[in-house]
């Protein structure tokens, strides 16, 4: 939701209260939230359609951009490819 209009309003509110913001680029459930051209990241909804634009927005709000990428746990990959170790 971070890249949506509603998400932008929430971010503006967080800035007002002094919060920081981290963005989930890839969740532990395996969902990749940005457009990523890779065969294993197909059929997913991209909640942050334009990552550079989103980061620029965060910076314009004097907020840090922190990308969270879950690497060691990926439920989507496990269920999609159960034969992989």
């Amino acid at each position: 939701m971070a890249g949506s209009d509603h998400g932008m309003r929430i971010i503006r509110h967080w800035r007002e209260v002094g919060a920081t913001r981290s963005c989930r680029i890839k969740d532990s459930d395996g969902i990749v939230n940005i457009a990523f051209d890779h065969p294993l990241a197909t059929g997913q909804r991209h909640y942050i359609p334009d990552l550079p634009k989103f980061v620029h927005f965060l910076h314009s709000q004097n907020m840090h951009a922190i990308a969270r990428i879950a690497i060691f746990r990926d439920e989507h990959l496990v269920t999609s490819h159960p034969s992989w170790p």
Side-chain angles (χ1 to χ4, degrees):
M1 132 175 124
S4 69
D5 290 335
H6 179 68
M8 299 295 186
R9 285 191 300 276
I10 291 172
I11 290 168
R12 285 186 186 99
H13 173 72
W14 286 343
R15 176 186 47 96
E16 292 170 5
V17 298
T20 60
R21 176 72 179 138
S22 68
C23 307
R24 292 185 187 123
I25 301 300
K26 180 181 171 291
D27 286 328
S28 60
D29 60 5
I31 301 301
V32 179
N33 294 312
I34 61 171
F36 186 67
D37 187 21
H38 192 278
L40 295 176
T42 59
Q44 300 182 18
R45 185 170 178 201
H46 305 125
Y47 294 99
I48 304 173
D50 188 339
L51 184 59
K53 181 179 178 181
F54 181 67
V55 170
H56 179 73
F57 172 74
L58 289 175
H59 289 167
S60 75
Q61 300 296 308
N62 292 321
M63 298 182 77
H64 295 285
I66 304 167
R68 178 179 181 269
I69 303 171
I71 296 174
F72 296 106
R73 183 174 170 197
D74 189 322
E75 295 173 23
H76 175 72
L77 192 61
V78 170
T79 57
S80 299
H81 302 281
S83 63
W84 290 5

